[in-house]
Amino acid sequence: MSNIETFNLTKKFNGITAVDNLNIKVEEEEIFGLLGPNGAGKTTTLSMLCTIVKPTSGKALVNGFDIIKKAEDVRKSIGIVFQDPSLDNRLTARENLQTHAALYDVPEDIAEDKIDELLNLVELNERANDLVKTFSGGMKRRLEIARGLIHMPKVLFLDEPTLGLDPQTREHIWNYIEKVCDEEKITVIITTHYMDEAERLCNRIGIIDHGKIVAIGKPREMIDQIGNEIVTLRIDDISKADKFRSLDFVKNIMVSSVVNLVVENGSESIPKIFEFANKNDIKILSLETHNPTLNDVFLHYVGGDIREEKSSGKDTMKLRLKLRDRI
């Protein structure tokens, strides 16, 4: 059974299409990753599914509720952890959870038991009565995940949950997300720019670009489809990169600040690449080979161009306030 299903979901802003005929299904207890460059439509998609923004056309069901006709039911059945911090630093961890429980009309006796359970789940039970302003970034993130679960949602939306955290803390957050999914039996939709995070956590991922889903599938299967090896070149003039397309053993080429050549056999290809570069007046500054990763899959579908972000922290704050006002 699908917890989320969209049908040609579309959103336009002043004639610009942010999300273009989106069709996805997310199954029960699945961790689904939504990946894409800046401005690709990730935040707009989440905003529509959370009923913060109304679609221009199309339809979506969240937990069986129509996001337009049954918006209030959708909001009661989902939890959200925003990219920007949204805890009250003047309150304790417990008080933050109590406040959120009250907003969602969770009965007080049920709320207290759930708060204790969640604080234990994210290992903050010993800091329950400490002010949040004394917490580290990782502790705050764990508390926000707990807060998103206080009303026992069926779906949890995580928007860049580990952004700005150090590698060790990110690893801990990953563990908590996996633990939450296992113990709470919920579905998770996660947006992230960290390919290792998506590969580690997600059962499936959808890559969105210019408002459209350009690829969808299981991370390992998508990686295997790319090819056997990637040869990464740094060359003196990136404008000459396209010349490598003429090599018959190059299955694909991805160009950003470097040239990534997808080949069947890296060791056999390297001498031929150097020979070709010499003949075409291309100076190779460095060369290395590696097995394909999810990052290579991402570059394969969206290219290497840097995009300008179309939304800001202020936009996210506005969306968060809208959602709070509708609860």
Side-chain angles (χ1 to χ4, degrees), residues 236-253:
D236 61 332
D237 185 353
I238 201 68
S239 67
K240 299 176 181 179
D242 276 350
K243 291 184 177 182
F244 288 101
R245 295 184 188 277
S246 63
L247 292 170
D248 58 5
F249 59 86
V250 173
K251 306 304 178 183
N252 192 22
I253 179 171

Side-chain angles (χ1 to χ4, degrees), residues 193-224:
H193 282 98
Y194 297 123
M195 297 299 111
D196 56 342
E197 183 166 89
E199 188 172 351
R200 158 77 179 270
L201 293 175
C202 299
N203 304 113
R204 289 189 306 135
I205 61 169
I207 298 177
I208 186 170
D209 194 25
H210 299 295
K212 288 180 175 290
I213 291 290
V214 295
I216 193 166
K218 296 179 179 180
R220 187 67 257 169
E221 292 177 357
M222 298 177 79
I223 291 169
D224 290 342

Side-chain angles (χ1 to χ4, degrees), residues 32-297:
F32 183 85
L34 192 60
L35 313 182
N38 293 336
K42 301 186 302 297
T43 298
T44 302
T45 297
L46 259 60
S47 298
M48 288 191 286
L49 294 177
C50 295
T51 77
I52 297 170
V53 172
K54 288 185 177 181
T56 304
S57 62
K59 177 181 176 180
L61 301 177
V62 176
N63 297 316
F65 301 117
D66 187 293
I67 61 171
I68 297 177
K69 297 177 182 178
K70 297 287 185 178
E72 185 175 349
D73 292 319
V74 171
R75 290 191 287 272
K76 289 178 179 178
S77 71
I78 63 174
I80 306 173
V81 176
F82 292 99
Q83 179 178 326
D84 294 333
S86 57
L87 297 167
D88 192 327
N89 287 324
R90 298 165 296 179
L91 301 179
T92 66
R94 183 177 295 278
E95 288 169 342
N96 266 278
L97 296 183
Q98 289 171 334
T99 300
H100 204 69
L103 285 171
Y104 277 91
D105 295 322
V106 180
E108 190 172 335
D109 56 335
I110 296 176
E112 287 307 311
D113 289 341
K114 192 65 179 177
I115 288 170
D116 288 336
E117 176 188 330
L118 290 171
L119 286 171
N120 184 65
L121 177 67
V122 298
E123 299 182 12
L124 288 174
N125 46 311
E126 294 184 1
R127 301 292 300 274
N129 298 314
D130 292 349
L131 294 177
V132 170
K133 67 181 180 181
T134 66
F135 285 11
S136 66
M139 292 170 65
K140 290 179 179 179
R141 216 62 178 141
R142 283 149 51 191
L143 182 59
E144 287 182 312
I145 291 173
R147 188 186 61 179
L149 296 169
I150 193 65
H151 57 295
M152 292 163 283
K154 293 182 179 179
V155 174
L156 179 65
F157 292 94
L158 301 176
D159 187 16
E160 300 284 352
T162 63
L163 186 68
L165 301 180
D166 63 80
Q168 184 181 38
T169 304
R170 286 176 62 214
E171 178 71 26
H172 287 315
I173 295 296
W174 295 348
N175 291 334
Y176 292 122
I177 292 172
E178 291 173 327
K179 191 175 180 182
V180 161
C181 289
D182 181 55
E183 296 189 11
E184 300 292 321
K185 305 301 180 186
I186 63 172
T187 301
V188 174
I189 311 294
I190 181 171
T191 68
T192 180
H193 282 98
Y194 297 123
M195 297 299 111
D196 56 342
E197 183 166 89
E199 188 172 351
R200 158 77 179 270
L201 293 175
C202 299
N203 304 113
R204 289 189 306 135
I205 61 169
I207 298 177
I208 186 170
D209 194 25
H210 299 295
K212 288 180 175 290
I213 291 290
V214 295
I216 193 166
K218 296 179 179 180
R220 187 67 257 169
E221 292 177 357
M222 298 177 79
I223 291 169
D224 290 342
Q225 290 172 0
I226 287 293
N228 291 341
E229 286 190 74
I230 306 290
V231 178
T232 299
L233 306 173
R234 293 186 181 276
I235 60 177
D236 61 332
D237 185 353
I238 201 68
S239 67
K240 299 176 181 179
D242 276 350
K243 291 184 177 182
F244 288 101
R245 295 184 188 277
S246 63
L247 292 170
D248 58 5
F249 59 86
V250 173
K251 306 304 178 183
N252 192 22
I253 179 171
M254 297 166 283
V255 181
S256 53
S257 59
V258 296
V259 185
N260 289 301
L261 307 178
V262 180
V263 300
E264 291 296 329
N265 188 310
S267 59
E268 291 183 4
S269 301
I270 289 173
K272 298 176 184 178
I273 291 171
F274 274 108
E275 182 181 357
F276 178 84
N278 288 332
K279 288 181 178 179
N280 288 272
D281 194 29
I282 300 172
K283 184 178 181 181
I284 296 178
L285 305 177
S286 68
L287 180 150
E288 62 181 36
T289 64
H290 66 274
N291 293 325
T293 65
L294 195 57
N295 189 65
D296 296 310
V297 174

